[in-house]
mmCIF file of all heavy atoms in Angstrom:
data_model
loop_
_atom_site.group_PDB
_atom_site.id
_atom_site.type_symbol
_atom_site.label_atom_id
_atom_site.label_comp_id
_atom_site.label_asym_id
_atom_site.label_seq_id
_atom_site.Cartn_x
_atom_site.Cartn_y
_atom_site.Cartn_z
ATOM 1 N N ARG I 1048 112.770 80.206 95.199
ATOM 2 C CA ARG I 1048 112.709 79.212 94.126
ATOM 3 C C ARG I 1048 114.038 78.481 94.061
ATOM 4 O O ARG I 1048 115.095 79.102 94.114
ATOM 5 C CB ARG I 1048 112.427 79.900 92.783
ATOM 6 C CG ARG I 1048 111.015 80.456 92.687
ATOM 7 C CD ARG I 1048 110.870 81.453 91.563
ATOM 8 N NE ARG I 1048 111.199 80.904 90.254
ATOM 9 C CZ ARG I 1048 110.406 80.099 89.549
ATOM 10 N NH1 ARG I 1048 109.245 79.750 90.014
ATOM 11 N NH2 ARG I 1048 110.769 79.647 88.360
ATOM 12 N N SER I 1050 116.206 75.381 91.978
ATOM 13 C CA SER I 1050 116.247 74.494 90.821
ATOM 14 C C SER I 1050 117.373 73.484 90.992
ATOM 15 O O SER I 1050 118.549 73.848 91.052
ATOM 16 C CB SER I 1050 116.456 75.330 89.549
ATOM 17 O OG SER I 1050 116.908 74.509 88.500
ATOM 18 N N ARG I 1064 120.387 76.272 91.216
ATOM 19 C CA ARG I 1064 120.000 77.677 91.129
ATOM 20 C C ARG I 1064 119.042 78.023 92.273
ATOM 21 O O ARG I 1064 118.141 77.258 92.594
ATOM 22 C CB ARG I 1064 119.327 77.967 89.790
ATOM 23 C CG ARG I 1064 120.189 77.485 88.613
ATOM 24 C CD ARG I 1064 119.914 78.258 87.354
ATOM 25 N NE ARG I 1064 118.714 77.840 86.656
ATOM 26 C CZ ARG I 1064 118.261 78.458 85.557
ATOM 27 N NH1 ARG I 1064 118.907 79.503 85.073
ATOM 28 N NH2 ARG I 1064 117.173 78.031 84.963
ATOM 29 N N ALA I 1066 116.828 81.389 93.970
ATOM 30 C CA ALA I 1066 116.352 82.777 93.918
ATOM 31 C C ALA I 1066 115.489 83.012 95.144
ATOM 32 O O ALA I 1066 114.635 82.196 95.476
ATOM 33 C CB ALA I 1066 115.556 83.023 92.644
ATOM 34 N N GLN I 1068 113.143 85.936 97.327
ATOM 35 C CA GLN I 1068 112.515 87.260 97.323
ATOM 36 C C GLN I 1068 112.938 88.006 98.580
ATOM 37 O O GLN I 1068 112.622 87.575 99.693
ATOM 38 C CB GLN I 1068 110.995 87.079 97.292
ATOM 39 C CG GLN I 1068 110.244 88.378 97.090
ATOM 40 C CD GLN I 1068 108.736 88.190 97.181
ATOM 41 O OE1 GLN I 1068 108.253 87.230 97.747
ATOM 42 N NE2 GLN I 1068 108.000 89.111 96.607
ATOM 43 N N ALA I 1111 122.078 92.939 94.675
ATOM 44 C CA ALA I 1111 120.783 93.513 94.322
ATOM 45 C C ALA I 1111 119.654 92.794 95.052
ATOM 46 O O ALA I 1111 119.838 91.698 95.588
ATOM 47 C CB ALA I 1111 120.564 93.419 92.815
ATOM 48 N N ALA I 1112 118.480 93.438 95.053
ATOM 49 C CA ALA I 1112 117.294 92.830 95.657
ATOM 50 C C ALA I 1112 116.972 91.508 94.969
ATOM 51 O O ALA I 1112 117.340 91.299 93.814
ATOM 52 C CB ALA I 1112 116.114 93.784 95.543
ATOM 53 N N ASN I 1113 116.294 90.637 95.673
ATOM 54 C CA ASN I 1113 115.868 89.335 95.146
ATOM 55 C C ASN I 1113 117.050 88.566 94.566
ATOM 56 O O ASN I 1113 117.094 88.284 93.373
ATOM 57 C CB ASN I 1113 114.768 89.517 94.101
ATOM 58 C CG ASN I 1113 113.658 90.397 94.622
ATOM 59 O OD1 ASN I 1113 113.065 90.098 95.642
ATOM 60 N ND2 ASN I 1113 113.420 91.508 93.960
ATOM 61 N N ASP K 1406 114.146 83.645 80.642
ATOM 62 C CA ASP K 1406 114.572 82.534 81.496
ATOM 63 C C ASP K 1406 113.546 82.340 82.616
ATOM 64 O O ASP K 1406 113.455 83.140 83.538
ATOM 65 C CB ASP K 1406 115.963 82.845 82.078
ATOM 66 C CG ASP K 1406 116.548 81.660 82.846
ATOM 67 O OD1 ASP K 1406 115.760 80.880 83.424
ATOM 68 O OD2 ASP K 1406 117.778 81.520 82.870
ATOM 69 N N GLU K 1407 112.800 81.250 82.529
ATOM 70 C CA GLU K 1407 111.721 80.976 83.487
ATOM 71 C C GLU K 1407 112.219 80.933 84.928
ATOM 72 O O GLU K 1407 111.458 81.165 85.851
ATOM 73 C CB GLU K 1407 111.045 79.644 83.154
ATOM 74 C CG GLU K 1407 110.110 79.711 81.984
ATOM 75 C CD GLU K 1407 108.723 80.223 82.353
ATOM 76 O OE1 GLU K 1407 108.068 79.571 83.167
ATOM 77 O OE2 GLU K 1407 108.314 81.260 81.820
ATOM 78 N N PHE K 1408 113.493 80.597 85.126
ATOM 79 C CA PHE K 1408 113.979 80.549 86.501
ATOM 80 C C PHE K 1408 114.582 81.880 86.936
ATOM 81 O O PHE K 1408 114.267 82.389 88.005
ATOM 82 C CB PHE K 1408 115.011 79.435 86.714
ATOM 83 C CG PHE K 1408 115.326 79.261 88.170
ATOM 84 C CD1 PHE K 1408 114.562 78.416 88.951
ATOM 85 C CD2 PHE K 1408 116.349 79.987 88.775
ATOM 86 C CE1 PHE K 1408 114.801 78.287 90.310
ATOM 87 C CE2 PHE K 1408 116.593 79.870 90.129
ATOM 88 C CZ PHE K 1408 115.821 79.016 90.896
ATOM 89 N N TRP K 1415 107.295 86.243 92.447
ATOM 90 C CA TRP K 1415 105.937 86.702 92.774
ATOM 91 C C TRP K 1415 104.906 85.681 92.283
ATOM 92 O O TRP K 1415 103.858 85.530 92.884
ATOM 93 C CB TRP K 1415 105.676 88.085 92.170
ATOM 94 C CG TRP K 1415 106.187 89.195 93.030
ATOM 95 C CD1 TRP K 1415 105.446 89.990 93.852
ATOM 96 C CD2 TRP K 1415 107.541 89.638 93.192
ATOM 97 N NE1 TRP K 1415 106.253 90.884 94.511
ATOM 98 C CE2 TRP K 1415 107.531 90.702 94.131
ATOM 99 C CE3 TRP K 1415 108.765 89.231 92.647
ATOM 100 C CZ2 TRP K 1415 108.698 91.360 94.517
ATOM 101 C CZ3 TRP K 1415 109.915 89.891 93.036
ATOM 102 C CH2 TRP K 1415 109.886 90.934 93.955
ATOM 103 N N THR K 1417 105.491 82.451 92.247
ATOM 104 C CA THR K 1417 105.553 81.412 93.283
ATOM 105 C C THR K 1417 104.714 81.817 94.492
ATOM 106 O O THR K 1417 103.940 81.031 95.036
ATOM 107 C CB THR K 1417 107.021 81.191 93.720
ATOM 108 O OG1 THR K 1417 107.783 80.858 92.557
ATOM 109 C CG2 THR K 1417 107.147 80.078 94.735
ATOM 110 N N ARG K 1418 104.874 83.072 94.884
ATOM 111 C CA ARG K 1418 104.114 83.602 96.020
ATOM 112 C C ARG K 1418 102.611 83.584 95.711
ATOM 113 O O ARG K 1418 101.784 83.204 96.537
ATOM 114 C CB ARG K 1418 104.588 85.031 96.288
ATOM 115 C CG ARG K 1418 103.984 85.679 97.503
ATOM 116 C CD ARG K 1418 104.433 87.138 97.591
ATOM 117 N NE ARG K 1418 103.971 87.764 98.809
ATOM 118 C CZ ARG K 1418 104.777 88.354 99.689
ATOM 119 N NH1 ARG K 1418 106.066 88.374 99.486
ATOM 120 N NH2 ARG K 1418 104.285 88.916 100.772
ATOM 121 N N GLU K 1486 102.516 93.437 97.922
ATOM 122 C CA GLU K 1486 103.191 92.263 97.347
ATOM 123 C C GLU K 1486 102.173 91.182 96.979
ATOM 124 O O GLU K 1486 102.274 90.544 95.937
ATOM 125 C CB GLU K 1486 104.178 91.684 98.359
ATOM 126 C CG GLU K 1486 105.255 92.641 98.805
ATOM 127 C CD GLU K 1486 106.431 92.662 97.851
ATOM 128 O OE1 GLU K 1486 107.058 91.614 97.693
ATOM 129 O OE2 GLU K 1486 106.703 93.726 97.270
ATOM 130 N N TYR K 1562 108.558 93.179 86.609
ATOM 131 C CA TYR K 1562 109.685 93.384 87.506
ATOM 132 C C TYR K 1562 110.529 94.461 86.857
ATOM 133 O O TYR K 1562 111.044 94.265 85.759
ATOM 134 C CB TYR K 1562 110.513 92.115 87.686
ATOM 135 C CG TYR K 1562 111.565 92.268 88.757
ATOM 136 C CD1 TYR K 1562 111.278 91.949 90.078
ATOM 137 C CD2 TYR K 1562 112.829 92.761 88.457
ATOM 138 C CE1 TYR K 1562 112.227 92.112 91.079
ATOM 139 C CE2 TYR K 1562 113.784 92.930 89.454
ATOM 140 C CZ TYR K 1562 113.479 92.597 90.761
ATOM 141 O OH TYR K 1562 114.417 92.770 91.744
ATOM 142 N N GLN K 1567 113.703 97.571 91.521
ATOM 143 C CA GLN K 1567 114.210 96.404 92.259
ATOM 144 C C GLN K 1567 113.056 95.588 92.823
ATOM 145 O O GLN K 1567 113.207 94.877 93.822
ATOM 146 C CB GLN K 1567 115.141 96.838 93.401
ATOM 147 C CG GLN K 1567 116.470 97.401 92.917
ATOM 148 C CD GLN K 1567 117.455 96.313 92.565
ATOM 149 O OE1 GLN K 1567 117.959 95.626 93.424
ATOM 150 N NE2 GLN K 1567 117.708 96.143 91.283
#
Side-chain angles (χ1 to χ4, degrees):
Chain I
R1048 290 164 59 77
S1050 162
R1064 308 206 281 176
Q1068 188 185 21
N1113 309 303
Chain K
D1406 187 329
E1407 283 277 299
F1408 189 88
W1415 276 258
T1417 303
R1418 185 185 185 124
E1486 301 275 298
Y1562 188 90
Q1567 290 279 290

